[in-house]
Amino acid sequence: MNQALQAAMTEAGETAESLAAQTGVDPKTAARWISPGRVPQPRRRVAVAAILGRDINDLWPDVLKRREPQWLRKWVDWEREAVALRWFEHAWVPGLLQTEAYARATLAHNLLAPGEIEERVASRSERSAILFSIKPVQLVAVIDVMVLRRPMKSHPAAMKEQLAHLAEMAELPHIQILVVGEDAGLYPGLQGGFILGTLGDGSVVAHLDHQVRAQVVDQAEDLVNLQQTWEAIRGEAFSRKQSLSLIKEAAQTWT
């Protein structure tokens, strides 16, 4: 049992039902938060901590545990320092915007052990906390339309939940999710996804994901090329409003 959370709830006069009502989740979901190892999504953690008047790390100290693979940590450190992220994906929903079910389904095809999959899923969930902090990172994500349509044969329900979550996130003021339609034909983004992170001092660092591991890019010439590619990709994308409509329409096609 998460005794710190239980004690804070008792002191504040809150129950699983009252927390559920205030955070927009099912009471059964809120009740599970007291169980060992069950941690709410980042934005729920922020909300619960505010309701209870406690620090997030006091209620869930394990969230500080580094779960990402060693080879990804350099990028995650930059990601946490970034004030803005520009993220393009042609095959997947960007990691910070993934639901746990979607993340688990995508990782299940990577020949990972079950325990390692759960560590990676937890890592992705915890990384998304930067979207819900007091001063959240500004995110512009561009995705190929096939990300909305590519079937996950053994997990159709995960796609419906994922796209509903994507639509919800796209309506937040600090998040833009843009879609490149099939009419764009062949465009530079089809060479692979990447992320551009802008730091507080205005400098830029990039991330490329390969079959084996991630690569941090900080060479000036490479960064110029990636930023030019970004502008070309964004130029092919629909507007924010059009993209949101496409996401919502796609969500209705999954059952």
Side-chain angles (χ1 to χ4, degrees):
M1 175 180 290
N2 185 333
Q3 295 182 348
L5 177 59
Q6 181 68 74
M9 290 170 61
T10 301
E11 184 177 327
E14 300 287 352
T15 64
E17 289 75 15
S18 66
L19 287 180
Q22 295 175 78
T23 57
V25 301
D26 185 271
K28 292 182 180 179
T29 298
R32 294 190 194 102
W33 295 340
I34 305 172
S35 302
R38 301 304 293 263
V39 180
Q41 292 285 338
R43 59 177 169 170
R44 308 295 187 202
R45 293 200 297 267
V46 172
V48 171
I51 293 167
L52 300 179
R54 297 296 181 88
D55 187 273
I56 293 175
N57 297 326
D58 291 336
L59 299 175
W60 295 284
D62 284 347
V63 300
L64 295 176
K65 176 184 176 183
R66 301 210 69 159
R67 302 178 187 272
E68 68 274 1
Q70 184 69 39
W71 49 262
L72 187 58
R73 291 182 180 180
K74 183 177 180 181
W75 169 252
V76 172
D77 289 340
W78 286 122
E79 190 177 66
R80 289 171 177 166
E81 291 189 29
V83 297
L85 294 173
R86 290 170 286 172
W87 194 323
F88 171 71
E89 287 288 354
H90 68 302
W92 314 98
V93 170
L96 296 184
L97 300 172
Q98 292 180 4
T99 64
E100 287 190 7
Y102 182 93
R104 189 172 292 108
T106 59
L107 290 167
H109 298 288
N110 287 350
L111 303 179
L112 300 174
E116 192 173 0
I117 291 174
E118 291 307 312
E119 285 290 302
R120 299 278 185 94
V121 170
S123 171
R124 290 188 185 183
S125 177
E126 289 161 10
R127 284 170 57 197
S128 67
I130 62 175
L131 298 175
F132 307 104
S133 61
I134 295 175
K135 191 174 182 181
V137 68
Q138 300 290 311
L139 172 64
V140 180
V142 180
I143 59 175
D144 189 273
V145 69
M146 284 306 299
V147 172
L148 308 177
R149 299 175 181 173
R150 184 170 290 109
M152 300 176 70
K153 295 180 180 179
S154 58
H155 304 277
M159 279 301 296
K160 185 175 182 66
E161 177 192 36
Q162 175 62 72
L163 296 191
H165 176 67
L166 208 58
E168 182 181 355
M169 298 293 285
E171 294 183 329
L172 296 176
H174 60 287
I175 297 176
Q176 296 184 49
I177 303 176
L178 310 179
V179 179
V180 177
E182 56 191 351
D183 289 345
L186 297 177
Y187 64 101
L190 296 178
Q191 297 178 75
F194 60 91
I195 313 169
L196 291 165
T198 302
L199 307 180
D201 62 1
S203 61
V204 177
V205 65
H207 171 275
L208 298 176
D209 206 356
H210 301 301
Q211 287 286 348
V212 179
R213 55 176 48 95
Q215 174 187 356
V216 173
V217 178
D218 54 10
Q219 297 297 313
E221 183 178 355
D222 294 332
L223 290 172
V224 168
N225 288 337
L226 283 173
Q227 290 182 88
Q228 290 175 341
T229 300
W230 167 263
E231 293 302 328
I233 292 169
R234 185 164 182 178
E236 296 290 351
F238 291 115
S239 70
R240 188 175 187 178
K241 183 177 181 179
Q242 289 173 311
S243 296
L244 180 56
S245 294
L246 274 175
I247 293 169
K248 288 181 176 179
E249 289 172 10
Q252 295 304 312
T253 65
W254 297 98
T255 57

